[in-house]
Amino acid sequence: MSVKIIRTKDYDEMSLRVAELLAAEIRAKEAPVLGLATGSTPVGAYCKLIEWNKAGELDFSGVTTVNLDEYKGLDGDNDQSYRYFMNTNLFDHVNIDKTRTHVPDGTIEDPEQACREYDEIIAATGGVDIQLLGMGHNGHIAFNEPSDAFSEGTCCVRLTESTIEANKRFFDSADQVPRYAYTMGIGSIMAARKIVIAVSGSDKAEAVKKAFTGPVTPWVPASILQEHPDCTLVADEAALSLL
Ligand code: GLP
């Protein structure tokens, strides 16, 4: 299966295209299940969704969400947690029932329990209709870092130095970035009926090239998307510059 590519001029157009794909899914289903992502990349798309919701054009009352990942050790009130990010960047501003928004629970100490519980939550939704992804500079999706095998269900991962380095901008210093995270597995991500991966900026161009024109390998986790039956890459010219 080949990945569809939507090429945009810049970040703003990328955000609009991504938001349109999510909105189409929300409008098409009575009880849509959205898989959502954090990071800087999806923020613009979330702004668009909020705008349409406020204008009365997009209703979130039937929507369920499952997020990709969370830092281990952070609770939802911590402003660096992904739960906090989702609340402040989307959920607090739309008419969504917060009890139907799911993010892995970073406060659960026991990784086995945390992962099992999150897999049960995902299963109980009946499956993700559309999964939004960003991508790390090393080709990671969610927090699935390069490794010698693709993960299946939710797992606890040790973040690589490059991810800690990239994400330290949200913390006071690199020391404060948690070393472990809970993340949806590659198997769970691939089980989504549709996938949209958003990428912006020339700093991701090399990763885009490897992921979408190179071999499918767990050393470039996003490369697995080449095997998904309905995956769309929405990327700006800068991110596609090496393709
Ligand atoms: C983090 C997240 C990923 C995200 C990536 C890229 O590591 N776990 O889900 O895709 O960062 O983030 P950004 O969009 O800020 O470049």
Side-chain angles (χ1 to χ4, degrees):
M1 287 295 158
S2 61
V3 172
K4 281 171 278 185
I5 299 178
I6 297 180
R7 187 189 186 91
T8 69
K9 195 166 75 275
D10 54 17
Y11 176 85
D12 288 346
E13 197 197 343
M14 179 206 74
S15 301
L16 176 63
R17 294 284 163 262
V18 168
E20 283 170 351
L21 292 170
L22 294 172
E25 202 67 25
I26 294 172
R27 293 189 179 112
K29 298 223 160 75
E30 222 166 281
V33 180
L34 309 186
L36 297 179
T38 52
S40 345
T41 309
V43 171
Y46 294 156
C47 286
K48 281 275 151 210
L49 295 179
I50 292 167
E51 195 181 307
W52 297 332
N53 180 255
K54 290 210 184 304
E57 296 161 6
L58 189 63
D59 178 19
F60 277 79
S61 61
V63 173
T64 296
T65 67
V66 283
N67 255 81
L68 288 168
D69 44 15
E70 179 61 282
Y71 288 113
K72 183 172 188 284
L74 300 193
D75 70 41
D77 293 330
N78 186 310
D79 59 9
Q80 308 300 348
S81 72
Y82 284 171
R83 159 55 76 181
Y84 187 92
F85 174 100
M86 288 311 300
N87 286 346
T88 51
N89 283 286
L90 181 64
F91 302 149
D92 286 344
H93 311 288
V94 295
N95 67 326
I96 198 165
D97 173 356
K98 278 243 189 92
T99 64
R100 292 215 298 256
T101 66
H102 306 288
V103 181
D105 184 348
T107 67
I108 301 177
E109 263 301 311
D110 175 20
E112 218 174 285
Q113 181 198 345
C115 298
R116 189 184 55 244
E117 286 184 10
Y118 204 58
D119 282 340
E120 286 166 5
I121 287 171
I122 298 167
T125 66
V128 172
D129 291 310
I130 187 164
Q131 176 67 58
L132 174 61
L133 298 173
M135 184 172 68
H137 293 99
N138 59 5
H140 76 239
I141 45 177
F143 268 135
N144 292 281
E145 298 280 23
S147 78
D148 53 11
F150 288 115
S151 58
E152 283 297 325
T154 305
C155 41
C156 180
V157 291
R158 189 173 213 292
L159 304 181
T160 61
E161 285 310 315
S162 74
T163 297
I164 291 167
E165 201 45 40
N167 289 0
K168 74 173 186 198
R169 67 191 195 275
F170 301 112
F171 294 80
D172 290 337
S173 70
D175 295 350
Q176 292 185 7
V177 184
R179 266 39 189 174
Y180 290 88
Y182 294 132
T183 181
M184 220 189 249
I186 295 287
S188 311
I189 292 170
M190 289 294 282
R193 290 181 261 277
K194 282 184 195 165
I195 294 181
V196 174
I197 177 161
V199 192
S200 167
S202 55
D203 53 318
K204 300 262 177 86
E206 189 62 43
V208 167
K209 184 179 166 200
K210 282 192 187 142
F212 298 100
T213 64
V216 175
T217 162
W219 294 105
V220 184
S223 65
I224 191 77
L225 299 173
Q226 294 179 37
E227 295 187 353
H228 193 277
D230 189 348
C231 177
T232 305
L233 164 66
V234 187
D236 59 20
E237 278 168 10
L240 294 174
S241 57
L242 297 179
L243 235 56

